[in-house]
Amino acid sequence: MHSYVRRAALMLPILLATAGCQAAVPSDDVLLLTPALPETLNPLAGFDNNGTGKINESLYTLDGETGSLPNLVPLLAEGEPQISADGLRWSIALQPGISFSDGSGFDAGDVAASYRAILDPASASPIAGVLENLDTVRAVDEHTVEFTLKEPQVSFKTALLIGIAPEELIADGPVSNSSLNRTPVGTGPYTVQKIDSAQLVLGANPDYRSGAPDVARVVYEQSADDNARSQALAGGGYTGTVLPPRLAASFADRDGFEVVTATSADWRGISLPADHPFTADPSVRLALNLLVDRQALIDGVLAGSGRPAYTFVPAQYGKAYNSDAVFAHDPQRAEQLLEQSGWTLDGSMRSKDGQDAAFTIMYNPGDTLRRDLSLALAAQLKEHGITAEVVPATFDEAEPRIGTDALMLGGGDTPYDVDTQLYKMLHSSYPEDGAYYDNPSRYADAAMDRLLHIGRTSTDPTARDQAYRKVQELYVKQPSMLLLAFTDHNYVQRSDVHETWNTAGTLLEPHDHGTAWGPWVKIGQWTGK
């Protein structure tokens, strides 16, 4: 669930292709196959903006285990934000003595300039929406930066996961014209040695503050085709890759390989268009959520690699998660709701007042998983007299049709606070205040808005958790979408990697993922044996 036209490849993990690199890999290198290389390496354009940047670091980073919500801990920041009593001013002290890879010093001016550039409409930064609540940012002194918000927002800390660039290299104008797109300069453990249409090579930063990482080079080669990546990995020479669930599962019993599964808050589901006579009906929306067999979709399409999604909130959110907010698989009740609302079955097709119970599901043509989920869902609905035509449509093509046709979406961009998982999908100010894929079914409920506002602005953790549990309780009574699953992300790695390296674990992953994530997300922390 992104403005994929500009962001999908841009925030996809950096990694590798089909350049035919079958030669022996040096023992201090890691060679990875990736579906796509990034269009830009510029953090101000959204590259690696989830606190795990290997080139450009952020004020805070992620620390945790794959099965739980990670903590946001200081990285370039020296400690936790000092927040004013009204919740509007966030003052952050910065670590002294840090340098960029070009030798220039890092200070508060760099932080302020980076955030101002993203905010500037002239930059046309695709991640400007992340900072929608940021009013101003200023360098108080060399080692202190202050953010002023338009209204209190506890989840603003997730916006502090954006990579920082040197002030003197941030030019006016569109980020698409920036030199940072291909020659980024950061404070991170790696620098760019090479970037072209087939390969991205990162080299260890010899001047990194804690010492150059043991992994001397990380090579990302592009291979767009899933089967081609699977075959290339099996053929030898590569360390690992990301694969769809079924292809990854084929390596489970193969000698010399291990399958690594990372839990995510990455959901899949379809919008239910507000201007379509069938899907606009609240009873139909509820019935569809009761009708679908989510576990069958997970078992069949995801090869069991996922969990049912009823709301946008997975169990990893702890006390904010409402375990009672679920849709039972109840076809009998679903059919009763359809009949009661006038969608009666005549032969094999339901209809009402001459309108068939039929709609279209669009999917991104480059995403086979979305296609397969859409087709499997359509097959389930057909058994109950509902026709769903599955058609490919780019996100540009889908935008003007969002009011009348359903779209298979994914979400969980920066899922490290419940607010960022819910607000844009359920608050009535969207999609007008955002993009067409924000709240695409145009859900509007005053009680929901109040609860979302409490969750966003309250500094009382108990009040926030209670508000979000009520949000989920409200949602399952009047759903806006048909959510299907939280998808696990699947990686395959050569098992002999553990003979050379002390590796690091995975994290709870966002929607954007790939070889920059998985078992290689903290590759700068790997140590040689």
Side-chain angles (χ1 to χ4, degrees):
M1 192 218 74
H2 268 315
S3 54
Y4 277 87
V5 178
R6 292 191 299 175
R7 290 187 63 188
L10 175 157
M11 299 169 79
L12 270 174
I14 47 184
L15 290 124
L16 320 103
T18 66
C21 186
Q22 293 298 319
V25 181
S27 61
D28 56 355
D29 286 3
V30 167
L31 178 57
L32 301 170
L33 285 161
T34 188
L37 292 170
E39 291 181 353
T40 175
L41 303 177
N42 187 350
L44 311 185
F47 178 67
D48 271 355
N49 75 329
N50 264 305
T52 60
K54 298 167 180 65
I55 304 168
N56 293 87
E57 294 177 312
S58 45
L59 294 176
Y60 294 87
T61 187
L62 308 176
D63 180 58
E65 304 296 330
T66 188
S68 60
L69 194 67
N71 296 314
L72 275 59
V73 299
L75 184 56
L76 295 177
E78 193 170 38
E80 292 301 310
Q82 300 300 305
I83 305 173
S84 62
D86 60 7
L88 296 178
R89 291 185 306 282
W90 290 48
S91 180
I92 299 171
L94 307 179
Q95 287 196 46
I98 294 178
S99 297
F100 287 98
S101 58
D102 64 358
S104 61
F106 161 78
D107 60 28
D110 301 304
V111 178
S114 294
Y115 278 84
R116 284 183 192 135
I118 297 169
L119 282 175
D120 184 358
S123 76
S125 171
I127 59 169
V130 174
L131 304 180
E132 61 181 349
N133 191 35
L134 177 59
D135 189 18
T136 62
V137 56
R138 69 186 184 100
V140 176
D141 55 41
E142 186 177 0
H143 296 297
T144 309
V145 64
E146 183 181 82
F147 298 87
T148 301
L149 309 186
K150 297 172 185 175
E151 69 171 2
Q153 180 186 350
V154 177
S155 66
F156 182 71
K157 196 173 182 182
T158 63
L160 304 178
L161 299 174
I162 294 170
I164 306 301
E167 180 177 9
E168 60 271 18
L169 297 182
I170 300 174
D172 294 335
V175 291
S176 57
N177 296 337
S178 173
S179 64
L180 299 173
N181 294 329
R182 281 296 176 265
T183 55
V185 175
T187 61
Y190 288 95
T191 61
V192 177
Q193 290 187 346
K194 175 185 175 183
I195 174 68
D196 58 27
S197 61
Q199 197 175 76
L200 169 64
V201 181
L202 302 185
N205 178 0
D207 300 317
Y208 190 57
R209 59 188 177 275
S210 59
D214 284 3
V215 176
R217 291 198 318 159
V218 187
V219 183
Y220 302 103
E221 285 192 9
Q222 182 173 321
S223 180
D225 184 79
D226 295 336
N227 287 305
R229 286 200 314 285
S230 175
Q231 292 168 11
L233 182 63
Y238 296 101
T239 308
T241 191
V242 58
L243 288 172
R246 290 200 170 278
L247 276 177
S250 70
F251 283 85
D253 298 320
R254 196 177 301 191
D255 288 342
F257 295 95
E258 63 176 359
V259 177
V260 179
T261 300
T263 305
S264 83
D266 179 11
W267 54 261
R268 294 293 180 277
I270 64 168
S271 62
L272 297 175
D275 297 330
H276 190 284
F278 181 60
T279 57
D281 186 332
S283 294
V284 166
R285 295 183 183 209
L286 180 56
L288 290 175
N289 275 279
L290 296 169
L291 201 60
V292 65
D293 186 342
R294 292 169 172 83
Q295 192 60 52
L297 294 176
I298 292 167
D299 293 341
V301 179
L302 302 182
S305 192
R307 291 140 290 130
Y310 308 103
T311 74
F312 301 96
V313 182
Q316 283 72 27
Y317 288 106
K319 292 181 180 179
Y321 171 67
N322 188 339
S323 60
D324 295 326
V326 300
F327 296 103
H329 178 222
D330 192 345
Q332 183 176 359
R333 185 185 169 211
E335 291 181 346
Q336 288 174 348
L337 285 169
L338 291 169
E339 292 285 338
Q340 290 168 3
S341 58
W343 295 98
T344 57
L345 189 63
D346 183 8
S348 61
M349 185 69 173
R350 292 186 181 275
S351 62
K352 177 181 179 180
D353 300 330
Q355 169 70 45
D356 287 340
F359 64 102
T360 297
I361 301 175
M362 303 178 289
Y363 72 92
N364 179 10
D367 193 323
T368 57
L369 186 62
R370 296 188 193 211
R371 179 200 65 195
D372 293 347
L373 271 175
S374 300
L375 289 170
L377 172 62
Q380 287 193 10
L381 297 180
K382 187 176 181 178
E383 295 178 3
H384 300 278
I386 300 167
T387 298
E389 181 186 10
V390 177
V391 301
T394 67
F395 286 95
D396 276 345
E397 292 169 340
E399 182 170 2
R401 299 168 56 181
I402 197 69
T404 54
D405 294 329
L407 177 62
M408 179 63 73
L409 292 167
D413 297 355
T414 307
Y416 302 116
D417 189 279
V418 196
D419 172 70
T420 59
Q421 194 82 347
L422 285 173
Y423 199 86
K424 289 185 178 182
M425 297 308 297
L426 292 175
H427 197 277
S428 63
S429 60
Y430 291 89
E432 282 73 15
D433 286 352
Y436 74 93
Y437 48 78
D438 297 325
N439 190 12
S441 305
R442 300 207 294 269
Y443 181 93
D445 182 87
M448 180 70 79
D449 284 355
R450 285 193 296 272
L451 291 169
L452 291 170
H453 185 74
I454 291 170
R456 168 166 281 201
T457 61
S458 176
T459 57
D460 180 354
T462 301
R464 291 191 83 211
D465 290 341
Q466 184 179 27
Y468 286 128
R469 288 194 298 270
K470 288 183 178 179
V471 162
Q472 296 158 74
E473 180 183 330
L474 206 59
Y475 182 86
V476 294
K477 294 177 181 177
Q478 188 183 354
S480 65
M481 289 179 55
L482 177 53
L483 292 170
L484 302 173
F486 293 106
T487 64
D488 292 334
H489 299 155
N490 298 276
Y491 305 90
V492 179
Q493 179 173 249
R494 283 169 41 181
S495 53
D496 64 5
V497 72
H498 302 290
E499 298 174 7
T500 305
W501 303 104
N502 297 302
T503 62
T506 60
L507 294 164
L508 178 72
E509 297 192 347
H511 175 63
D512 288 309
H513 62 283
T515 40
W517 287 86
W520 313 289
V521 65
K522 296 183 179 181
I523 200 165
Q525 298 179 17
W526 286 20
T527 58
K529 288 188 174 181

